[in-house]
Amino acid sequence: MAMSMPHQIGALSGTPLTAETGGEVPAKGNTTASAAWRTPLTNLRVSVQKTGADVDMLSPTPSPPLSPLKGGMRPDLSVACQALMEAPAETAAEREHRLGNSPEKGKGVPVFVMMPLDSVKMDHTVNRKKAMNASLQALKSAGVEGIMMDVWWGLVERDSPGEYNWGGYAELLEMAKKHGLKVQAVMSFHQCGGNVGDSCTIPLPRWVVEEMEKDPDLAYTDQWGRRNYEYVSLGCDTLPVLKGRSPVQCYSDFMRGFRDRFENLLGDTIVEIQVGMGPAGELRYPSYPEQDGTWKFPGIGAFQCYDKYMISSLKAAAEAFGKPEWGHTGPTDAGHYNNWPEDTNFFRKEGGGWDGEYGEFFLTWYSQMLLNHGERILQSAKAIFDDKGVKISVKIAGIHWHYGTRSHAPELTAGYYNTRFRDGYLPIAQMLARHGAIFNFTCVEMRDHEQPQDAQCAPEKLVRQVALATQEAQVPLAGENALPRYDDYAHEQILQASSLNIDDQSSDREMCAFTYLRMNPDLFHPDNWRRFVAFVKKMKEGKDAHRCQEQLEQEAQHFVHITQPLVQEAAMALMH
């Protein structure tokens, strides 16, 4: 056939999604953001058919994975933290805002602060209410724009399908309103526990867990049969596997219930809805689970496509492509969770399977399944919150380890088809742009040289790539820090990254918001609090800031002295 592989896949797969704008191959000399990478493959969409057939585990590229790397290191680093988003309280997503990326161009970046994961207890009451009240008052006095709070599916719809208990959240939202704080509400459809920074355990709703126990293929599955119960597998997104409803229907009903219950606060107090799309609330596969020591940084992770629903979809795609032998399984020579790329036949730089015809087919299918998942949920979220004065955002993981390699293995196993030769973030940005959603990205506080050099970590380069992709797709970019940091060094990195000065180009573009991880006793430590107050002031001044560091520090010190009793009260209350 004269058609290229991307066009063959697109033509044979049946019902492709709407073509992404701006995805054409750049002409020679074109200096668009994607010019440095191969243009993403055409969209692939295949129907998911339920099947109980046994999976033939022969590898399409048979070669055994090598043994795990000796040693194994775990620096204080990683990415899957909690959530984040943006927040200027304007009406629905206008094109001008999407292009400008902030309430007023060049007028600074509003700072939000993440609330504790267990802000609402299992008995539907506010946790440490006195501490919460004092803390919110302190945050407001420091110039913080608002807070981010997880609204847990496993709490609200815990006992019975369709029965929602918003207790605790109603009180917390009223508390925020009383203090004049805006709220980014995260629709958290994942399990809390098992990821970096998870300080408590909140499982999925009981009735969902029951269904997953009856049909373990509702859970993401790796090639060794290990199940991951953090989030329902996207392979069954549209199938009525949860007491007669599909997972996407469950998510939609939950968001609709939230809208109806808190409609009076939407657009005023609640300014943003972040829609959970996967583990840790991020649009990705659970390819690097820390629970039970399965994965340790900086391992490459593992593909999560071996439940029967995903395999059924892969089989259909392979048959449509004319290579039915490719549909029995994913790569079986891609190593284990804690391997490094060069330990594997699939990810190695020379002759690796990722760079061949099979690898291109598989990775296109795997990443497109993730994009389709995001598309389905965003279509629903957009309809539910249309004209409610709130923004919608989606969190993307900052997977920066092995970024300096050719294959970018950890990104590939997570579902981001990003390699040295291909931009995997532009298709995500374009998908979000179609729905007027915000691209929310992590690891903004990290610097390349702080990370282990042998793992070729490059968070700064990754943030830059994402900034270029969002610029080309004309979608707002928001940020968060991946790990708790209270030092000036991290603050300066966040300030620099949020200014979006790419290649020293003069631009009014800034991040639309930054969410700070997280409200806890450490934040209210006098030295940390002083630095944080100065940081918030600098972020709000943005590119228009002309005042010197010394002046800001003096103002911060004065503020800390005045508010010392309030901050001490918040810190003490949080510790008890």
Side-chain angles (χ1 to χ4, degrees):
M1 294 177 69
M3 297 172 71
S4 66
M5 172 178 284
H7 291 98
Q8 290 179 53
I9 294 176
L12 292 171
S13 60
T15 55
L17 294 168
T18 306
E20 295 169 342
T21 57
E24 295 81 20
V25 178
K28 288 184 180 179
N30 188 334
T31 56
T32 62
S34 63
W37 294 275
R38 186 186 307 160
T39 301
L41 293 181
T42 306
N43 279 335
L44 165 68
R45 188 177 187 178
V46 292
S47 59
V48 181
Q49 302 170 353
K50 186 171 180 177
T51 174
D54 290 333
V55 176
D56 179 1
M57 295 305 289
L58 290 175
S59 172
T61 50
S63 42
L66 303 182
S67 58
L69 187 75
K70 345 21 125 181
M73 48 194 290
R74 173 64 173 108
D76 185 21
L77 172 291
S78 160
V79 92
C81 232
Q82 222 353 80
L84 156 299
M85 45 210 98
E86 118 4 335
E90 300 179 27
T91 52
E94 300 170 320
R95 178 173 177 77
E96 191 170 315
H97 167 75
R98 293 204 299 106
L99 293 174
N101 265 349
S102 65
E104 297 177 73
K105 287 188 179 182
K107 294 299 181 184
V109 181
V111 175
F112 290 72
V113 175
M114 298 182 198
M115 302 300 286
L117 295 170
D118 60 352
S119 292
V120 174
K121 296 190 290 185
M122 298 301 281
D123 64 357
H124 306 289
T125 61
V126 174
N127 198 8
R128 297 183 297 271
K129 193 179 302 184
K130 182 181 178 183
M132 198 68 72
N133 201 55
S135 300
L136 295 183
Q137 190 175 346
L139 292 178
K140 178 62 178 178
S141 64
V144 165
E145 182 82 4
I147 59 173
M148 183 280 292
M149 54 187 280
D150 290 279
V151 183
W152 295 104
W153 186 29
L155 275 182
V156 175
E157 199 179 356
R158 180 178 60 199
D159 297 322
S160 299
E163 293 184 11
Y164 307 109
N165 188 332
W166 303 104
Y169 291 108
E171 191 175 358
L172 197 53
L173 285 164
E174 286 298 331
M175 208 181 281
K177 180 181 179 181
K178 180 184 76 174
H179 291 295
L181 291 165
K182 306 298 185 186
V183 174
Q184 301 167 323
V186 186
M187 304 290 101
S188 295
F189 299 122
H190 61 285
Q191 167 189 293
C192 179
N195 277 301
V196 177
D198 285 353
S199 56
C200 62
T201 300
I202 302 172
L204 297 180
R206 288 172 184 165
W207 53 275
V208 174
V209 174
E210 287 172 8
E211 294 303 301
M212 295 176 87
E213 288 172 349
K214 290 180 197 170
D215 182 3
D217 283 291
L218 298 180
Y220 282 115
T221 308
D222 64 22
Q223 73 177 82
W224 305 280
R226 181 188 179 278
R227 309 284 189 178
N228 186 299
Y229 294 94
E230 292 179 66
Y231 188 86
V232 180
S233 168
L234 62 80
C236 57
D237 263 359
T238 60
L239 302 176
V241 294
L242 298 179
K243 307 284 188 186
R245 290 186 297 167
S246 72
V248 171
Q249 284 176 319
C250 291
Y251 306 148
S252 300
D253 291 345
F254 184 91
M255 290 189 286
R256 196 174 293 108
F258 181 85
R259 178 201 67 189
D260 294 346
R261 174 62 180 83
F262 299 112
E263 193 155 14
N264 63 312
L265 298 176
L266 293 175
D268 179 18
T269 296
I270 302 169
V271 295
E272 185 178 323
I273 303 294
Q274 185 180 91
V275 188
M277 299 276 188
E282 297 166 333
L283 178 64
R284 65 173 176 86
Y285 294 98
S287 57
Y288 50 98
E290 284 204 310
Q291 200 163 25
D292 302 323
T294 302
W295 170 87
K296 288 184 171 57
F297 175 86
I300 58 176
F303 292 113
Q304 305 290 314
C305 59
Y306 296 86
D307 63 79
K308 67 185 179 186
Y309 303 105
M310 292 291 285
I311 290 293
S312 176
S313 172
L314 178 60
K315 182 179 178 183
E319 289 175 353
F321 188 64
K323 293 280 191 178
E325 66 273 19
W326 287 354
H328 298 298
T329 178
T332 59
D333 58 349
H336 201 272
Y337 288 96
N338 294 313
N339 282 136
W340 285 30
E342 289 305 305
D343 295 336
T344 75
N345 287 329
F346 189 78
F347 293 121
R348 66 188 182 192
K349 63 182 179 182
E350 298 291 349
W354 66 276
D355 201 28
E357 187 184 24
Y358 166 74
E360 188 174 7
F361 162 79
F362 172 78
L363 293 169
T364 298
W365 166 80
Y366 189 69
S367 61
Q368 189 62 52
M369 289 289 282
L370 191 66
L371 286 171
N372 292 351
H373 174 67
E375 193 97 47
R376 291 185 198 104
I377 299 176
L378 275 179
Q379 285 172 349
S380 179
K382 186 178 179 182
I384 291 167
F385 294 106
D386 192 35
D387 297 327
K388 296 300 178 185
V390 297
K391 301 180 189 306
I392 294 175
S393 69
V394 175
K395 184 180 174 187
I396 311 299
I399 303 174
H400 57 82
W401 50 104
H402 302 296
Y403 183 86
T405 63
R406 293 183 188 177
S407 64
H408 292 230
E411 291 164 90
L412 298 184
T413 57
Y416 305 156
Y417 192 178
N418 191 57
T419 70
R420 183 170 293 181
F421 314 112
R422 187 185 192 282
D423 186 356
Y425 297 99
L426 182 58
I428 297 172
Q430 289 169 331
M431 184 266 289
L432 297 179
R434 283 197 294 275
H435 299 280
I438 293 159
F439 191 122
N440 182 11
F441 199 61
T442 67
C443 77
V444 173
E445 87 282 14
M446 295 180 177
R447 298 183 192 234
D448 292 354
H449 70 80
E450 294 175 337
Q451 315 307 324
Q453 297 306 299
D454 53 352
Q456 299 196 50
C457 301
E460 291 178 84
K461 295 181 181 67
L462 174 58
V463 169
R464 179 183 178 277
Q465 182 187 348
V466 166
L468 286 167
T470 56
Q471 178 175 282
E472 179 168 342
Q474 298 183 342
V475 64
L477 177 62
E480 74 169 48
N481 49 317
L483 296 174
R485 291 281 295 269
Y486 308 99
D487 55 290
D488 287 332
Y489 204 51
H491 291 164
E492 286 302 320
Q493 181 62 21
I494 294 167
L495 283 160
Q496 181 180 329
S498 64
S499 70
L500 298 181
N501 288 328
I502 303 169
D503 295 335
D504 297 322
Q505 297 174 6
S506 177
S507 168
D508 285 335
R509 187 173 184 246
E510 297 177 285
M511 282 188 179
C512 58
F514 181 81
T515 305
Y516 193 88
L517 173 75
R518 162 183 325 268
M519 192 185 87
N520 58 28
D522 289 337
L523 175 61
F524 295 114
H525 182 279
D527 288 339
N528 293 342
W529 183 247
R530 174 181 52 79
R531 286 189 287 263
F532 176 73
V533 170
F535 164 72
V536 171
K537 284 181 177 293
K538 291 182 211 172
M539 290 286 280
K540 289 181 74 173
E541 293 192 11
K543 293 184 177 183
D544 287 347
H546 300 296
R547 293 187 293 151
C548 69
Q549 172 79 16
E550 185 178 348
Q551 184 180 357
L552 283 167
E553 288 289 345
Q554 286 176 349
E555 287 183 11
Q557 188 63 48
H558 178 66
F559 170 83
V560 169
H561 177 72
I562 293 174
T563 59
Q564 187 175 11
L566 176 65
V567 173
Q568 283 180 337
E569 179 185 357
M572 292 298 294
L574 279 169
M575 286 189 288
H576 293 92

